[in-house]
Amino acid sequence: MEIILQKNVIKAIKSLYNEDVNPEQILVQATRKEFTGDLTVNVFPFIKQVKRSPEIAAEEIGKYLKENLDIVDSYNVIKGFLNISISSEYWLKGLYENKTETAVKKETVVLEFSSPNTNKPLHLGHVRNNLLGESLARILLADGFDVKKVNLVNDRGIHICKSMLAWQKWGNGITPETSGKKGDKLVGDFYVLFDKEYKKQQEELISQGLTKEEAENKAPLILEAREMLLKWENDDKEVISIWKMMNRWVYAGFDITYRNLDISFDKIYYESETYKLGKDTVLKGIQSNVLIKKSDGSVWADLTENKLDEKLLLRSDGTSVYMTQDIGTAEMRYNEYKPEKMIYVVGNEQIYHFNVLKIVLEKLGFDWAKNIVHFSYGMVELPEGKMKSREGTVVDADDLIDEMVATAREMSTELGKLEDFSSEEKENILRIIGLGALKYFILKVDPKKNMVFNPKESIDFNGNTGPFIQYTYARINSLKTKADDEGILEYKQYPAGITPNDKEISLIKMLRQFESVKKESAQKLSPAIIANYAYDLAKEYNQFYHDFIILKESGELRNFRLYLSEQTGRIIKEAMWLLGIEVPVRM
RNA sequence: GGUUCUGUAGCUCAGCUGGAUAGAGCAACGGCCUUCUAAGCCGUAGGCCACAGGUUCGAGUCCUGUCAGAAUCACCA
């Protein structure tokens, strides 16, 4: 509709002033609430060309539009702004049009997210990553992309060796079964234990006169861990078997967390299976003189011409680093899917890493490297700052989910809801609500910004929240159920004698926006745009619901309002789906 | 020190490619359940959009500088 108006403004200018203007000069936007009208044309961008004062030009164009466009009902001019009212009939028709054109692009996008390390359980930071990843996948899918969700499990490296070593030294053969602990938690405990003992050794060495850096590199524990990594890369039987066992524990733990968050993947890569390819590629890079081998055997990429430093790709002992395995993974992934785009959902702390990755891949001759997109999101912080695992301030993912559901339960009991439900149904609804609160809380903020989470205040269930939107849906659903009970079934036809009121029109307008909101969120890779839209829509509907009677109305008006409600519910549900949030039929 | 990101109400966040008098929620205060779900609706109060310049008809938005916070610049991942 904006486009129709835009074209006609161009026509108007041509016929009134005999001037040609570009479409970009015609700004059509929604009229602000304080003014009457639906759409506003701003005359300033072309005011010089038409040689009129803003008021006169706006007035003349408005007059032209009213005479030549039947959808234009009336207009008014304030300063240089031409506010146009679209006929309510046009809005009403729009609501009843069934437009189901699904844009099919079928370009493949590989979307990597989650990417946990196997040495500790998932925490709030990972939760943000997972929720963003899952939501982006759905948003891109809805925009017509063929999305492959992939997870890259970081199952090798020095960090795993630390947990393994600690378990070997102090674990006394403990397992998840004997301890009753979730596997990822148990392994995480040993990682923390390693760090504690390692710190002790460092302090000891520092007191003997070593510098901090020397102490970090000479502590017996770290030497043992490095040795273990070397053994691992040389397929040492014992090391491999501990590694397999402990990873198995971790995966069992992760599976539970993923399931609780409704996260799934099309494909899981393991770095233990991709790093060798990376190593090979790096070695080839030396032969073709793209990379440098130093006298101690370490391999580097010289990035000084890109205004960056030198970057290590293989250690002097021949073992690979993070970058090495990411090269291999990217290559493997590209060969497997030949995607148009590879998106990595990884925190903003790794911006530098991905810059380097792209440059190195390009140097190595992979022209698809330019299609790599690092979707970098901000950190989740506590009111007192960053989460520190060593200080025990990490917010554990499983605990957080449990707390959210518990809060939902308290609220529900207090409000006296859900009393007539079976316990099974009730639990499911509480899960939907608790999880909805958590997911919405995280997804509504602009991904690139850091966000603050206050565990003491816990997440709200009122106001701009997931449950607010879910509640709106439940209300609508309840209307439909009641309509059903009363035998109101034929309500979907165009209502002949109805003139929608202002609130109804603004609801219809908002529903129309959904398509462009979806597109925008896909282009900008931002679930927050969907989240904020869903909230605005729910708020608008609640006002409508409060101010007007729906089912107790009669005839066409009742049918129209019921239909309008149903459409709102449908879009709320779809918007929430795009966020990975379920909506309950009752709450 | 270099690079990147952020700075909007007491708190948590919106603010579309520059557009009219900067918006929500929470917290505070005051109203609304004999009518479809009050997890709701309405109202009051709360702002030098970090600061200073610049670009122009017009700047929270773009440019430059300053200040503050964060991340990163590892033979960690």
Side-chain angles (χ1 to χ4, degrees):
Chain A
M1 182 171 44
E2 285 82 353
I3 294 167
I4 299 172
L5 201 57
Q6 196 180 55
K7 278 185 187 152
N8 280 279
V9 171
I10 293 172
K11 265 175 39 191
I13 293 169
K14 182 73 183 167
S15 103
L16 291 168
Y17 314 114
N18 199 27
E19 288 284 340
D20 293 302
V21 291
N22 301 321
E24 301 90 69
Q25 284 175 276
I26 314 298
L27 256 81
V28 180
Q29 50 207 178
T31 303
R32 298 183 58 125
K33 282 230 155 101
E34 313 89 83
F35 304 97
T36 52
D38 297 310
L39 292 169
T40 295
V41 178
N42 188 334
V43 304
F44 284 108
F46 53 83
I47 198 66
K48 277 181 185 155
Q49 264 176 283
V50 303
K51 302 183 186 77
R52 297 287 189 286
S53 78
E55 286 79 5
I56 292 173
E59 181 65 36
E60 288 174 347
I61 294 167
K63 195 169 167 225
Y64 177 94
L65 290 175
K66 181 164 161 46
E67 283 165 3
N68 292 284
L69 252 188
D70 56 352
I71 61 168
V72 175
D73 219 34
S74 63
Y75 69 95
N76 65 81
V77 175
I78 296 168
K79 295 189 195 168
F81 297 92
L82 169 61
N83 300 321
I84 293 161
S85 299
I86 304 295
S87 79
S88 52
E89 199 192 337
Y90 180 82
W91 290 118
L92 194 57
K93 272 187 189 149
L95 181 68
Y96 286 85
E97 272 167 15
N98 42 347
K99 57 271 169 187
T100 41
E101 15 101 29
T102 31
V104 193
K105 281 182 223 146
K106 286 299 160 205
E107 286 186 358
T108 303
V109 174
V110 174
L111 180 72
E112 176 191 305
F113 65 101
S114 201
S115 312
N117 291 348
T118 53
N119 62 331
K120 50 180 183 255
L122 304 177
H123 60 67
L124 184 50
H126 300 111
V127 172
R128 190 177 193 189
N129 180 305
N130 284 295
L131 297 182
L132 282 170
E134 180 66 33
S135 177
L136 283 177
R138 294 178 183 209
I139 288 168
L140 291 171
L141 184 72
D143 197 38
F145 287 95
D146 181 17
V147 182
K148 304 291 178 199
K149 294 189 282 182
V150 305
N151 189 0
L152 172 64
V153 178
N154 195 346
D155 62 344
R156 48 142 270 124
I158 191 80
H159 54 290
I160 316 300
C161 293
K162 289 177 181 176
S163 293
M164 284 158 61
L165 193 64
W167 180 84
Q168 211 176 25
K169 280 185 177 303
W170 305 296
N172 297 317
I174 194 170
T175 69
E177 289 75 27
T178 61
S179 65
K181 252 198 164 157
K182 211 162 154 269
D184 52 338
K185 301 262 158 71
L186 185 67
V187 172
D189 288 348
F190 283 106
Y191 185 71
V192 172
L193 182 59
F194 175 94
D195 198 72
K196 222 172 93 188
E197 297 297 323
Y198 176 35
K199 281 265 149 60
K200 269 193 214 161
Q201 291 187 347
Q202 286 176 47
E203 277 162 31
E204 176 84 29
L205 290 172
I206 289 168
S207 73
Q208 287 170 17
L210 273 69
T211 66
K212 191 167 179 291
E213 206 186 329
E214 285 171 335
E216 277 171 10
N217 286 307
K218 294 212 168 128
L221 272 173
I222 195 71
L223 296 178
E224 277 187 79
R226 282 185 192 149
E227 198 190 322
M228 196 175 221
L229 178 63
L230 196 58
K231 280 184 176 171
W232 183 91
E233 286 205 18
N234 291 321
D235 282 329
D236 179 275
K237 272 225 164 62
E238 195 195 344
V239 171
I240 294 282
S241 96
I242 298 176
W243 174 75
K244 280 189 174 160
M245 175 183 72
M246 288 181 79
N247 272 343
R248 215 165 38 236
W249 298 347
V250 172
Y251 299 148
F254 283 175
D255 282 348
I256 292 170
T257 310
Y258 284 140
R259 201 174 331 124
N260 286 338
L261 284 173
D262 311 313
I263 303 290
S264 64
F265 301 96
D266 297 309
K267 166 109 191 180
I268 297 177
Y269 289 94
Y270 297 91
E271 285 191 350
S272 56
E273 293 167 0
T274 65
Y275 82 100
K276 279 186 179 150
L277 176 59
K279 224 168 162 176
D280 289 348
T281 304
V282 167
L283 293 174
K284 277 184 211 150
I286 304 170
Q287 281 160 17
S288 55
N289 282 325
V290 175
L291 305 173
I292 319 155
K293 186 164 191 168
K294 295 203 172 170
S295 56
D296 64 358
S298 58
V299 178
W300 299 75
D302 180 9
L303 306 175
T304 45
E305 64 183 43
N306 302 321
K307 290 183 174 175
L308 296 170
D309 227 337
E310 292 186 327
K311 183 74 190 174
L312 179 88
L313 297 179
L314 287 176
R315 295 191 185 95
S316 49
D317 65 4
T319 57
S320 30
V321 292
Y322 184 43
M323 188 64 71
T324 326
Q325 51 214 24
D326 252 5
I327 290 169
T329 312
E331 222 184 320
M332 190 177 271
R333 189 174 295 171
Y334 179 78
N335 290 336
E336 191 161 344
Y337 292 109
K338 298 279 188 294
E340 272 73 21
K341 218 188 262 182
M342 297 203 273
I343 303 176
Y344 291 74
V345 180
V346 179
N348 60 15
E349 66 216 340
Q350 294 193 28
I351 289 175
Y352 176 75
H353 172 79
F354 279 96
N355 280 337
V356 172
L357 178 65
K358 280 182 79 162
I359 294 170
V360 171
L361 284 170
E362 272 169 31
K363 277 188 192 298
L364 289 167
F366 301 114
D367 62 339
W368 45 261
K370 62 182 187 301
N371 299 327
I372 288 177
V373 176
H374 174 205
F375 175 86
S376 95
Y377 61 91
M379 302 286 100
V380 183
E381 289 168 0
L382 302 173
E384 52 278 8
K386 240 190 133 179
M387 291 190 282
K388 297 253 166 64
S389 53
R390 272 169 252 128
E391 289 163 29
T393 55
V394 169
V395 178
D396 178 79
D398 298 320
D399 295 349
L400 184 59
I401 294 166
D402 289 347
E403 279 165 30
M404 295 307 299
V405 176
T407 309
R409 181 174 293 114
E410 277 168 39
M411 292 286 275
S412 175
T413 310
E414 205 176 299
L415 295 166
K417 310 254 176 169
L418 305 181
E419 278 159 358
D420 53 338
F421 278 78
S422 76
S423 70
E424 197 183 331
E425 285 171 316
K426 194 172 161 181
E427 283 312 305
N428 187 41
I429 291 172
L430 293 176
R431 192 189 66 86
I432 289 173
I433 297 170
L435 218 52
L438 173 62
K439 290 182 176 181
Y440 184 84
F441 179 84
I442 288 174
L443 291 174
K444 77 169 185 202
V445 337
D446 183 348
K448 70 170 185 282
K449 288 188 179 173
N450 286 0
M451 60 180 292
V452 177
F453 172 78
N454 189 341
K456 288 190 197 84
E457 287 175 8
S458 84
I459 292 169
D460 266 314
F461 284 64
N462 299 317
N464 187 355
T465 67
F468 172 89
I469 300 166
Q470 291 172 320
Y471 177 71
T472 310
Y473 179 83
R475 274 178 148 181
I476 292 172
N477 199 265
S478 161
L479 278 180
K480 279 171 64 187
T481 312
K482 284 216 161 63
D484 236 23
D485 292 347
E486 290 173 29
I488 305 168
L489 299 167
E490 309 278 315
Y491 61 90
K492 298 190 182 184
Q493 307 82 359
Y494 184 82
I498 296 294
T499 308
N501 62 39
D502 288 353
K503 201 69 197 169
E504 289 158 350
I505 299 248
S506 64
L507 242 184
I508 294 173
K509 278 197 255 182
M510 230 176 208
L511 295 176
R512 279 180 76 108
Q513 283 170 16
F514 186 47
E515 288 305 312
S516 61
V517 167
K518 276 200 282 190
K519 274 215 173 58
E520 194 192 343
S521 76
Q523 264 159 21
K524 294 190 176 165
L525 299 177
S526 174
I529 292 171
I530 300 278
N532 286 307
Y533 168 80
Y535 171 70
D536 289 339
L537 179 61
K539 177 133 186 89
E540 192 71 20
Y541 181 81
N542 277 327
Q543 289 168 350
F544 164 71
Y545 181 94
H546 178 267
D547 291 345
F548 299 100
I549 298 160
I550 298 164
L551 279 182
K552 305 221 161 143
E553 200 51 75
S554 59
E556 292 283 82
L557 186 55
R558 178 200 64 195
N559 291 350
F560 160 62
R561 286 183 178 164
L562 185 56
Y563 182 73
L564 181 58
S565 300
E566 185 189 75
Q567 292 302 306
T568 306
R570 201 196 84 227
I571 288 183
I572 286 177
K573 186 176 184 176
E574 193 183 332
M576 293 296 260
W577 183 84
L578 290 171
L579 300 174
I581 301 175
E582 284 182 72
V583 284
V585 290
R586 275 181 61 186
M587 68 184 274

